[in-house]
Amino acid sequence: MPVQDASRTSAEIASQPDTWRRAAESAASLTDVLPRRGERVAVVGCGTSWFMALAYAQLRECGGHGETDAFAASEFPVGRAYDRVLAITRSGTTTEVLDLLATVKGTVPTAAITADPVTPVKDIADAVAVLDYADEESVVQTRFATTALALLRAHLESEGALPAGVRPMAEAVADAERAVAEPLDAGVCGAEQFTFLGTGWTYGLALEAGLKMREAAGAWTESYPAMEYRHGPISITGPGRVAWVFGPAPKGLADDVERVGGTFVDDSGDASGNLDPLADLVRAQRLAVLVAEARGYDPDRPRNLTRSVILDDSDA
Protein backbone atom coordinates (compact mmCIF):
# COMPACT_ATOMS: atom_id res chain seq x y z
CA MET A 1 0.00 0.00 0.00
CA PRO A 2 1.61 3.31 -0.99
CA VAL A 3 2.40 6.12 1.43
CA GLN A 4 -0.44 8.66 1.56
CA ASP A 5 0.68 12.26 1.24
CA ALA A 6 -2.60 14.04 0.55
CA SER A 7 -3.45 15.21 4.06
CA ARG A 8 -1.73 17.89 6.09
CA THR A 9 -1.37 15.33 8.88
CA SER A 10 0.51 12.98 6.55
CA ALA A 11 2.96 15.73 5.59
CA GLU A 12 3.64 16.52 9.24
CA ILE A 13 4.17 12.85 10.03
CA ALA A 14 6.67 12.56 7.17
CA SER A 15 8.68 15.53 8.47
CA GLN A 16 9.60 13.87 11.77
CA PRO A 17 13.12 12.69 10.89
CA ASP A 18 14.08 16.32 10.27
CA THR A 19 12.43 17.69 13.41
CA TRP A 20 13.98 14.98 15.58
CA ARG A 21 17.39 15.80 14.16
CA ARG A 22 16.95 19.50 14.96
CA ALA A 23 15.79 18.70 18.48
CA ALA A 24 18.78 16.47 19.16
CA GLU A 25 21.12 19.20 17.96
CA SER A 26 19.52 21.77 20.28
CA ALA A 27 19.55 19.73 23.50
CA ALA A 28 22.92 21.05 24.68
CA SER A 29 21.72 24.67 24.51
CA LEU A 30 18.65 24.21 26.73
CA THR A 31 20.28 23.67 30.11
CA ASP A 32 17.89 26.09 31.84
CA VAL A 33 14.89 24.03 30.75
CA LEU A 34 15.99 20.40 30.82
CA PRO A 35 16.30 18.50 34.12
CA ARG A 36 19.69 18.30 35.76
CA ARG A 37 21.21 15.05 36.93
CA GLY A 38 19.96 14.14 40.37
CA GLU A 39 16.91 16.41 40.39
CA ARG A 40 13.59 14.96 41.49
CA VAL A 41 11.35 15.87 38.57
CA ALA A 42 7.63 15.81 37.79
CA VAL A 43 6.71 15.90 34.11
CA VAL A 44 3.15 16.91 33.25
CA GLY A 45 0.94 17.25 30.20
CA CYS A 46 -2.50 16.47 28.83
CA GLY A 47 -3.43 13.79 26.32
CA THR A 48 -0.57 13.11 23.94
CA SER A 49 1.82 15.28 25.97
CA TRP A 50 1.06 13.24 29.08
CA PHE A 51 1.93 10.04 27.22
CA MET A 52 5.27 11.53 26.15
CA ALA A 53 5.83 12.51 29.79
CA LEU A 54 5.24 8.90 30.82
CA ALA A 55 7.78 7.66 28.28
CA TYR A 56 10.38 10.23 29.34
CA ALA A 57 9.89 9.55 33.05
CA GLN A 58 10.69 5.89 32.49
CA LEU A 59 13.72 6.68 30.32
CA ARG A 60 15.15 9.20 32.78
CA GLU A 61 14.69 7.15 35.92
CA CYS A 62 15.85 3.87 34.37
CA GLY A 63 18.90 5.68 32.97
CA GLY A 64 19.91 6.81 36.45
CA HIS A 65 19.46 10.53 35.77
CA GLY A 66 17.06 11.08 38.66
CA GLU A 67 13.73 10.17 40.21
CA THR A 68 10.98 11.12 37.77
CA ASP A 69 7.20 11.01 37.93
CA ALA A 70 4.69 11.76 35.18
CA PHE A 71 1.18 13.07 35.70
CA ALA A 72 -1.78 14.28 33.74
CA ALA A 73 -1.72 17.97 34.69
CA SER A 74 -5.15 17.73 36.30
CA GLU A 75 -3.92 14.91 38.58
CA PHE A 76 -0.71 16.50 39.85
CA PRO A 77 -0.26 15.94 43.62
CA VAL A 78 0.14 19.55 44.73
CA GLY A 79 2.25 19.65 47.88
CA ARG A 80 4.54 16.77 46.94
CA ALA A 81 8.16 17.91 46.87
CA TYR A 82 9.99 18.17 43.55
CA ASP A 83 13.11 19.99 42.38
CA ARG A 84 11.51 20.85 39.04
CA VAL A 85 8.14 20.63 37.30
CA LEU A 86 8.44 20.25 33.54
CA ALA A 87 5.35 20.75 31.38
CA ILE A 88 4.93 19.54 27.80
CA THR A 89 2.30 21.60 25.97
CA ARG A 90 2.13 22.05 22.21
CA SER A 91 -0.20 25.05 22.25
CA GLY A 92 0.95 26.66 25.49
CA THR A 93 -2.72 27.42 26.20
CA THR A 94 -4.09 24.24 27.80
CA THR A 95 -6.04 25.22 30.88
CA GLU A 96 -4.98 22.39 33.19
CA VAL A 97 -1.28 22.94 32.44
CA LEU A 98 -1.46 26.70 32.95
CA ASP A 99 -3.43 26.32 36.16
CA LEU A 100 -0.89 23.88 37.57
CA LEU A 101 2.11 26.05 36.68
CA ALA A 102 0.42 29.05 38.25
CA THR A 103 -0.36 27.05 41.40
CA VAL A 104 3.22 25.92 42.00
CA LYS A 105 4.91 29.11 40.76
CA GLY A 106 7.37 30.42 43.33
CA THR A 107 7.49 27.16 45.26
CA VAL A 108 9.37 25.00 42.73
CA PRO A 109 11.29 25.82 39.53
CA THR A 110 9.10 25.26 36.47
CA ALA A 111 9.90 24.75 32.80
CA ALA A 112 7.91 24.05 29.67
CA ILE A 113 8.42 22.64 26.20
CA THR A 114 6.02 24.21 23.71
CA ALA A 115 5.60 24.87 19.99
CA ASP A 116 4.30 28.43 20.12
CA PRO A 117 6.53 31.30 21.32
CA VAL A 118 3.66 33.73 21.98
CA THR A 119 1.32 31.84 24.29
CA PRO A 120 0.57 32.19 28.02
CA VAL A 121 2.95 29.44 29.10
CA LYS A 122 5.85 31.76 28.23
CA ASP A 123 4.77 34.12 31.00
CA ILE A 124 3.99 31.47 33.63
CA ALA A 125 6.87 28.98 33.39
CA ASP A 126 10.31 30.02 34.66
CA ALA A 127 12.05 28.68 31.55
CA VAL A 128 10.68 27.65 28.16
CA ALA A 129 12.00 25.71 25.19
CA VAL A 130 10.19 26.60 21.95
CA LEU A 131 10.12 23.90 19.27
CA ASP A 132 8.39 26.10 16.72
CA TYR A 133 9.87 24.09 13.86
CA ALA A 134 7.81 21.12 15.10
CA ASP A 135 4.53 23.02 15.44
CA GLU A 136 1.56 21.64 13.56
CA GLU A 137 -1.50 22.87 11.75
CA SER A 138 -3.20 19.55 12.47
CA VAL A 139 -5.46 19.14 15.45
CA VAL A 140 -4.13 15.61 15.93
CA GLN A 141 -0.64 15.80 17.45
CA THR A 142 2.14 13.86 15.78
CA ARG A 143 5.48 15.56 15.21
CA PHE A 144 5.48 18.01 18.13
CA ALA A 145 5.01 15.25 20.68
CA THR A 146 7.64 12.94 19.25
CA THR A 147 10.05 15.84 18.76
CA ALA A 148 9.68 16.86 22.41
CA LEU A 149 10.47 13.29 23.43
CA ALA A 150 13.41 13.23 20.98
CA LEU A 151 14.77 16.38 22.64
CA LEU A 152 14.49 14.88 26.11
CA ARG A 153 15.97 11.59 24.96
CA ALA A 154 18.89 13.35 23.25
CA HIS A 155 19.58 15.22 26.49
CA LEU A 156 19.75 11.94 28.39
CA GLU A 157 22.08 10.58 25.73
CA SER A 158 24.38 13.60 26.08
CA GLU A 159 24.49 12.98 29.84
CA GLY A 160 25.31 9.29 29.47
CA ALA A 161 21.92 8.40 30.93
CA LEU A 162 20.19 6.39 28.23
CA PRO A 163 19.00 3.07 29.63
CA ALA A 164 20.65 -0.06 28.27
CA GLY A 165 19.20 -1.08 24.93
CA VAL A 166 17.87 2.37 23.98
CA ARG A 167 19.41 3.51 20.73
CA PRO A 168 21.21 6.81 20.15
CA MET A 169 19.03 9.44 18.51
CA ALA A 170 21.05 9.30 15.29
CA GLU A 171 19.90 5.70 14.86
CA ALA A 172 16.33 6.58 15.81
CA VAL A 173 16.30 9.29 13.13
CA ALA A 174 17.54 6.82 10.52
CA ASP A 175 14.81 4.40 11.59
CA ALA A 176 12.21 7.17 11.31
CA GLU A 177 13.30 7.76 7.72
CA ARG A 178 12.48 4.12 7.05
CA ALA A 179 9.21 4.35 8.96
CA VAL A 180 7.85 7.19 6.82
CA ALA A 181 8.73 5.41 3.58
CA GLU A 182 8.10 1.71 3.98
CA PRO A 183 4.67 0.32 2.98
CA LEU A 184 2.29 -0.73 5.72
CA ASP A 185 0.85 -4.22 5.65
CA ALA A 186 -2.54 -4.27 3.94
CA GLY A 187 -3.88 -6.80 6.44
CA VAL A 188 -3.08 -4.51 9.34
CA CYS A 189 -4.61 -1.50 7.59
CA GLY A 190 -7.84 -3.44 7.09
CA ALA A 191 -8.17 -4.72 10.66
CA GLU A 192 -11.27 -3.90 12.71
CA GLN A 193 -9.58 -3.57 16.12
CA PHE A 194 -6.12 -2.65 17.43
CA THR A 195 -4.45 -3.28 20.77
CA PHE A 196 -1.14 -1.50 21.39
CA LEU A 197 1.30 -2.83 23.97
CA GLY A 198 4.55 -1.63 25.51
CA THR A 199 6.97 -2.24 28.34
CA GLY A 200 8.72 0.42 30.41
CA TRP A 201 9.10 3.61 28.39
CA THR A 202 7.33 2.13 25.39
CA TYR A 203 4.08 1.80 27.32
CA GLY A 204 3.67 5.57 26.85
CA LEU A 205 4.12 5.02 23.11
CA ALA A 206 1.44 2.32 23.16
CA LEU A 207 -0.98 4.69 24.86
CA GLU A 208 -0.22 7.34 22.26
CA ALA A 209 -0.67 4.94 19.33
CA GLY A 210 -4.10 4.02 20.64
CA LEU A 211 -5.05 7.67 21.04
CA LYS A 212 -3.97 8.48 17.48
CA MET A 213 -6.18 5.75 16.09
CA ARG A 214 -9.17 6.95 18.11
CA GLU A 215 -8.63 10.62 17.27
CA ALA A 216 -7.97 10.33 13.56
CA ALA A 217 -10.00 7.27 12.61
CA GLY A 218 -12.55 6.70 15.36
CA ALA A 219 -11.10 3.20 15.61
CA TRP A 220 -11.63 0.65 18.37
CA THR A 221 -8.26 0.66 20.10
CA GLU A 222 -6.92 -0.30 23.50
CA SER A 223 -3.50 0.02 25.13
CA TYR A 224 -1.87 -1.95 27.95
CA PRO A 225 1.48 -2.83 29.49
CA ALA A 226 2.59 -5.82 27.44
CA MET A 227 2.64 -8.27 30.35
CA GLU A 228 -0.96 -7.31 31.21
CA TYR A 229 -2.25 -8.46 27.83
CA ARG A 230 -2.78 -12.03 28.95
CA HIS A 231 -4.69 -10.85 32.02
CA GLY A 232 -7.95 -10.23 30.20
CA PRO A 233 -7.34 -8.08 27.10
CA ILE A 234 -6.40 -11.10 24.99
CA SER A 235 -10.07 -12.09 25.18
CA ILE A 236 -10.90 -9.62 22.39
CA THR A 237 -8.21 -10.96 20.06
CA GLY A 238 -9.20 -12.91 16.98
CA PRO A 239 -9.29 -12.77 13.20
CA GLY A 240 -9.23 -9.22 11.88
CA ARG A 241 -7.77 -7.86 15.12
CA VAL A 242 -4.22 -6.67 15.73
CA ALA A 243 -1.88 -6.80 18.73
CA TRP A 244 0.99 -4.36 18.10
CA VAL A 245 3.97 -4.33 20.47
CA PHE A 246 6.40 -1.43 20.84
CA GLY A 247 9.82 -2.70 21.83
CA PRO A 248 10.74 -6.29 22.72
CA ALA A 249 7.74 -8.58 23.05
CA PRO A 250 7.33 -10.79 26.13
CA LYS A 251 8.31 -14.37 25.51
CA GLY A 252 5.51 -16.42 23.99
CA LEU A 253 3.18 -13.48 23.37
CA ALA A 254 3.32 -13.79 19.59
CA ASP A 255 2.30 -17.45 19.84
CA ASP A 256 -0.57 -16.57 22.17
CA VAL A 257 -1.93 -13.96 19.75
CA GLU A 258 -1.58 -16.17 16.70
CA ARG A 259 -3.13 -19.14 18.53
CA VAL A 260 -6.44 -17.25 18.83
CA GLY A 261 -6.33 -15.98 15.24
CA GLY A 262 -5.05 -12.46 15.84
CA THR A 263 -2.40 -10.58 13.85
CA PHE A 264 0.80 -9.91 15.80
CA VAL A 265 2.96 -6.87 14.93
CA ASP A 266 6.40 -6.55 16.49
CA ASP A 267 8.85 -4.42 14.52
CA SER A 268 11.06 -2.67 17.04
CA GLY A 269 13.40 -2.91 19.93
CA ASP A 270 16.58 -4.82 19.10
CA ALA A 271 19.71 -4.49 16.99
CA SER A 272 18.68 -6.88 14.22
CA GLY A 273 17.53 -4.21 11.81
CA ASN A 274 14.10 -3.59 13.30
CA LEU A 275 12.81 -0.14 14.12
CA ASP A 276 13.45 1.98 17.16
CA PRO A 277 10.18 2.10 19.16
CA LEU A 278 9.78 5.85 18.62
CA ALA A 279 10.14 5.29 14.87
CA ASP A 280 7.61 2.48 15.16
CA LEU A 281 5.18 5.05 16.58
CA VAL A 282 5.56 6.92 13.28
CA ARG A 283 4.22 3.83 11.52
CA ALA A 284 1.25 3.77 13.88
CA GLN A 285 0.59 7.45 13.08
CA ARG A 286 0.59 6.63 9.39
CA LEU A 287 -1.75 3.73 10.05
CA ALA A 288 -4.19 6.08 11.79
CA VAL A 289 -4.30 8.31 8.71
CA LEU A 290 -4.78 5.40 6.32
CA VAL A 291 -7.57 3.88 8.40
CA ALA A 292 -9.26 7.28 8.69
CA GLU A 293 -9.17 7.80 4.94
CA ALA A 294 -10.43 4.26 4.29
CA ARG A 295 -13.41 4.99 6.54
CA GLY A 296 -14.17 8.24 4.77
CA TYR A 297 -12.89 10.50 7.57
CA ASP A 298 -10.70 13.56 7.15
CA PRO A 299 -7.66 13.12 9.43
CA ASP A 300 -7.07 16.88 9.32
CA ARG A 301 -10.51 17.51 10.82
CA PRO A 302 -11.07 14.92 13.56
CA ARG A 303 -14.49 14.70 15.13
CA ASN A 304 -15.17 16.41 18.46
CA LEU A 305 -11.63 17.77 18.86
CA THR A 306 -9.94 21.17 18.94
CA ARG A 307 -6.25 22.02 18.85
CA SER A 308 -6.21 23.01 22.53
CA VAL A 309 -8.59 22.45 25.43
CA ILE A 310 -9.30 25.86 26.98
CA LEU A 311 -11.84 25.77 29.80
CA ASP A 312 -13.84 28.55 31.32
CA ASP A 313 -14.68 28.63 35.02
CA SER A 314 -17.89 26.68 34.52
CA ASP A 315 -16.01 23.79 32.88
CA ALA A 316 -13.17 23.43 35.37
Side-chain angles (χ1 to χ4, degrees):
M1 184 173 293
V3 177
Q4 301 292 316
D5 293 322
S7 70
R8 179 175 59 210
T9 305
S10 290
E12 290 170 350
I13 289 170
S15 71
Q16 287 173 107
D18 290 335
T19 61
W20 295 6
R21 191 177 291 110
R22 289 188 63 175
E25 291 169 351
S26 70
S29 66
L30 296 172
T31 55
D32 58 334
V33 176
L34 302 178
R36 297 169 184 156
R37 183 180 290 276
E39 286 184 333
R40 187 167 190 250
V41 174
V43 194
V44 301
C46 296
T48 289
S49 295
W50 173 35
F51 299 151
M52 297 300 102
L54 286 168
Y56 171 62
Q58 284 281 341
L59 284 170
R60 182 172 186 262
E61 190 156 317
C62 290
H65 201 256
E67 185 175 349
T68 317
D69 296 324
F71 300 101
S74 60
E75 297 297 319
F76 181 78
V78 176
R80 186 178 295 181
Y82 289 100
D83 299 313
R84 183 186 303 254
V85 173
L86 174 63
I88 304 173
T89 169
R90 175 179 66 169
S91 69
T93 62
T94 303
T95 297
E96 297 99 307
V97 172
L98 297 180
D99 286 351
L100 170 59
L101 292 177
T103 297
V104 302
K105 190 173 181 66
T107 66
V108 59
T110 60
I113 301 173
T114 188
D116 192 334
V118 289
T119 53
V121 75
K122 286 277 287 183
D123 298 321
I124 297 177
D126 298 326
V128 177
V130 178
L131 310 184
D132 51 359
Y133 54 87
D135 201 359
E136 297 156 325
E137 295 182 41
S138 298
V139 171
V140 174
Q141 279 201 59
T142 56
R143 73 179 178 192
F144 170 75
T146 62
T147 302
L149 183 56
L151 170 69
L152 293 163
R153 182 169 154 182
H155 179 246
L156 293 178
E157 181 182 343
S158 71
E159 301 253 305
L162 276 184
V166 178
R167 300 177 183 182
M169 275 308 303
E171 294 183 21
V173 168
D175 285 350
E177 290 172 338
R178 289 173 48 204
V180 300
E182 292 180 349
L184 296 174
D185 182 82
V188 173
C189 294
E192 66 166 346
Q193 188 276 336
F194 306 85
T195 300
F196 296 100
L197 307 170
T199 301
W201 75 280
T202 70
Y203 173 50
L205 305 186
L207 290 167
E208 172 58 9
L211 181 62
K212 286 290 89 69
M213 293 291 293
R214 288 189 291 275
E215 288 178 330
W220 174 15
T221 64
E222 302 185 14
S223 304
Y224 301 95
M227 288 299 291
E228 287 296 307
Y229 185 63
R230 298 181 179 96
H231 295 272
I234 195 172
S235 63
I236 63 169
T237 303
R241 298 179 180 180
V242 169
W244 181 317
V245 180
F246 292 92
K251 184 178 179 180
L253 187 61
D255 292 338
D256 291 340
V257 171
E258 291 164 1
R259 187 177 302 117
V260 295
T263 299
F264 187 76
V265 178
D266 176 22
D267 196 20
S268 60
D270 63 26
S272 65
N274 295 336
L275 293 174
D276 181 275
L278 191 57
D280 202 22
L281 178 59
V282 173
R283 297 196 317 134
Q285 294 170 343
R286 289 181 54 216
L287 175 66
V289 171
L290 290 171
V291 172
E293 292 173 342
R295 296 181 177 189
Y297 299 147
D298 182 350
D300 292 341
R301 296 174 178 82
R303 297 176 300 170
N304 308 324
L305 294 178
T306 58
R307 174 178 163 85
S308 174
V309 176
I310 301 174
L311 306 176
D312 61 32
D313 291 341
S314 65
D315 296 319

